[in-house]
């Protein structure tokens, strides 16, 4: 082990728990931004602090041009994945929506679109989107983000299919010493798997489009009681161009409807009869196209006005968000109760 590595490793060991706490903050922030505020349908958003052993291995790397000196003169400030997050979505369109939120909410240090890179080479392969980010100016001043204030962090965004390929490929290529004469065989099979990965993502996107198209064209039926299943179909019909929300969000908004005394499709239609949903969305300042549940949430706010806020007496953040959206509706000249 090179002589500078133990000193850097010992320093990181002492401050590691601070980065663990920072990772929790970053994870909560991302989930709040893409889930609670934007209603994007995604599988998971997690963050981690680099473990001391991995840090030591990275800090031990010699400079590529001069093996007698370290690659990192100041590892704690130069290594950019001490805190790193990963967002995994179901569909490619959700990757793009998550990226819009990241670019709006963080200061972007560097952005790498791995998919664009592989396409430019005319091959198939890794298609994740990588960001190096800092907190924006506003959050850097908040005490709750003190541990992240000056930190450069990594955020990766990819689909579940891309994630499965990347994790498996990493385990094989970097943890197994493949003999040179067998490497072409592995390369070919990973290339084939990457092509199938892209095909799967494209087909999931097409299936989603066909599903929403079918739901939007479904004939009117007798009034149905609202369940998560019937509400999902109803919202797809009402907002045919809106992306799907997370399954848990449909359950959440169904509970809100029940608190409003709305338990059937007929009652919900009656409540929203005078609401111009397109005008409502035009008044909003969503960073990315609103999903079906967010669209309904906005329409309910337009229909009920300040009475809608009364459903969330103990949720300070929700109150703040809704008050801001209520002001946006008023500024747009929409009549709100």
């Amino acid at each position: 082990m090179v002589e500078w590595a133990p000193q850097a490793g010992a320093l990181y060991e002492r401050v590691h728990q601070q980065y663990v706490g920072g990772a929790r903050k970053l994870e909560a922030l991302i989930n709040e931004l893409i889930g609670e505020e934007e209603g994007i349908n995604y599988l998971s958003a997690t963050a981690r602090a680099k473990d001391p052993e991995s840090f030591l291995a990275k800090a031990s790397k010699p400079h590529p041009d001069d093996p007698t000196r370290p690659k990192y003169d100041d590892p704690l400030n130069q290594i950019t994945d001490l805190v790193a997050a990963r967002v995994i979505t179901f569909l490619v369109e959700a990757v793009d929506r998550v990226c819009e939120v990241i670019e709006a909410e963080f200061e972007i240090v560097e952005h790498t679109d791995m998919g664009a890179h592989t396409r430019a080479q005319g091959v198939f392969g890794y298609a994740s989107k990588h960001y190096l980010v800092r907190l924006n100016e506003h959050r850097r001043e908040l005490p709750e983000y003190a541990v992240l204030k000056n930190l450069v962090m990594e955020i990766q965004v990819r689909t579940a299919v891309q994630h499965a390929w990347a994790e498996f490929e990493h385990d094989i290529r970097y943890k197994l010493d493949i003999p040179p004469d067998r490497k072409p065989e592995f390369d070919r099979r990973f290339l084939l798997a990457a092509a199938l990965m892209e095909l799967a993502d494209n087909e999931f996107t097409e299936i989603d489009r066909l599903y929403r198209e079918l739901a939007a064209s479904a004939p009117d039926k007798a009034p149905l009681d609202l369940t998560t299943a019937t509400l999902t179909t109803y919202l797809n019909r009402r907002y045919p161009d809106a992306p799907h929300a997370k399954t848990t969000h449909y359950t959440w908004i169904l509970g809100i409807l029940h608190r409003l005394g709305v338990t059937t499709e007929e009652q919900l239609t009656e409540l929203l009869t005078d609401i111009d949903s397109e005008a409502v969305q035009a008044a909003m300042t969503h960073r990315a196209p609103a999903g079906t549940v967010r669209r309904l949430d906005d329409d309910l706010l337009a229909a009920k006005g300040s009475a809608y806020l009364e459903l969330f007496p103990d949720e300070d953040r929700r109150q703040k968000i809704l008050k801001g959206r209520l002001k946006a509706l008023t500024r747009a000249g929409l009549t709100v109760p």
Side-chain angles (χ1 to χ4, degrees):
M1 183 180 293
V2 290
E3 61 182 13
W4 62 80
Q7 182 178 357
L11 177 58
Y12 184 68
E13 185 82 50
R14 290 198 297 272
V15 298
H16 178 244
Q17 285 304 312
Q18 296 179 27
Y19 290 96
V20 171
R24 293 195 191 103
K25 287 290 185 182
L26 179 62
E27 181 176 309
L29 176 60
I30 292 174
N31 277 286
E32 181 180 282
L33 291 172
I34 68 175
E36 295 176 29
E37 293 192 15
E38 296 301 327
I40 297 173
N41 186 20
Y42 64 103
L43 177 61
S44 64
T46 58
R48 60 99 182 115
K50 198 171 193 67
D51 67 73
E53 183 177 343
S54 295
F55 174 84
L56 181 58
K58 199 162 190 175
S60 299
K61 291 183 177 180
H63 196 282
D65 299 325
D66 183 359
T68 65
R69 64 188 182 91
K71 179 179 181 180
Y72 302 102
D73 297 316
D74 184 5
L76 280 176
N77 289 314
Q78 292 175 310
I79 293 177
T80 55
D81 63 344
L82 299 184
V83 170
R86 180 177 292 146
V87 181
I88 301 173
T89 72
F90 295 102
L91 298 174
V92 173
E93 63 87 14
V95 168
D96 295 334
R97 294 174 68 211
V98 170
C99 289
E100 288 180 19
V101 174
I102 290 172
E103 291 170 12
E105 291 291 340
F106 291 88
E107 180 182 305
I108 306 302
V109 176
E110 183 178 303
H111 172 218
T112 304
D113 185 338
M114 303 301 292
H117 178 69
T118 55
R119 286 191 297 273
Q121 294 179 310
V123 298
F124 298 99
Y126 189 51
S128 181
K129 295 190 178 183
H130 290 193
Y131 289 90
L132 294 181
V133 306
R134 291 189 182 93
L135 292 179
N136 61 24
E137 185 176 357
H138 169 68
R139 289 194 181 89
R140 285 200 295 267
E141 301 306 315
L142 298 178
E144 63 194 281
Y145 295 115
V147 68
L148 300 176
K149 184 173 182 177
N150 299 309
L151 190 65
V152 175
M153 301 165 286
E154 179 179 289
I155 302 177
Q156 298 178 1
V157 190
R158 58 201 191 200
T159 66
V161 173
Q162 294 164 1
H163 177 67
W165 185 91
E167 290 295 290
F168 185 70
E169 192 260 1
H170 181 271
D171 282 349
I172 297 296
R173 287 198 193 275
Y174 296 98
K175 296 182 181 179
L176 178 66
D177 187 14
I178 302 174
D181 64 315
R182 299 295 302 278
K183 188 174 182 298
E185 178 185 359
F186 280 86
D187 288 345
R188 179 179 176 278
R189 290 185 179 277
F190 272 117
L191 185 62
L192 176 59
L196 293 173
M197 170 188 71
E198 185 170 318
L199 178 63
D201 271 337
N202 290 342
E203 287 304 306
F204 285 147
T205 297
E206 182 63 12
I207 290 168
D208 179 68
R209 185 191 68 78
L210 291 172
Y211 170 73
R212 288 191 284 116
E213 181 182 277
L214 184 62
S217 63
D220 292 334
K221 299 178 181 179
L224 296 173
D225 290 339
L226 289 175
T227 64
T228 52
T230 59
L231 179 62
T232 300
T233 301
Y234 180 95
L235 296 185
N236 285 329
R237 196 163 60 243
R238 180 175 175 86
Y239 312 114
D241 297 326
H244 288 304
K246 286 177 71 69
T247 302
T248 54
H249 291 172
Y250 289 100
T251 303
W252 172 80
I253 200 69
L254 183 64
I256 300 302
L257 290 172
H258 284 175
R259 287 158 66 183
L260 288 170
V262 177
T263 60
T264 68
E265 290 186 5
E266 184 178 39
Q267 291 173 329
L268 181 54
T269 299
E270 183 178 352
L271 176 61
L272 302 177
T273 295
D274 298 325
I275 301 301
D276 183 342
S277 186
E278 297 303 321
V280 169
Q281 285 307 292
M284 295 299 173
T285 56
H286 299 310
R287 304 169 190 83
T292 53
V293 171
R294 178 61 67 233
R295 292 286 298 272
L296 177 57
D297 188 37
D298 291 339
D299 284 354
L300 291 175
L301 177 63
K304 301 296 291 185
S306 57
Y308 193 57
L309 276 69
E310 296 173 6
L311 298 177
F312 314 96
D314 301 319
E315 300 180 37
D316 292 341
R317 180 168 182 78
R318 180 83 175 137
Q319 285 275 338
K320 182 178 179 181
I321 291 172
L322 290 178
K323 286 177 181 177
R325 291 177 181 167
L326 196 56
K327 289 180 180 178
L329 292 174
T330 303
R331 283 196 302 269
L334 299 180
T335 301
V336 181

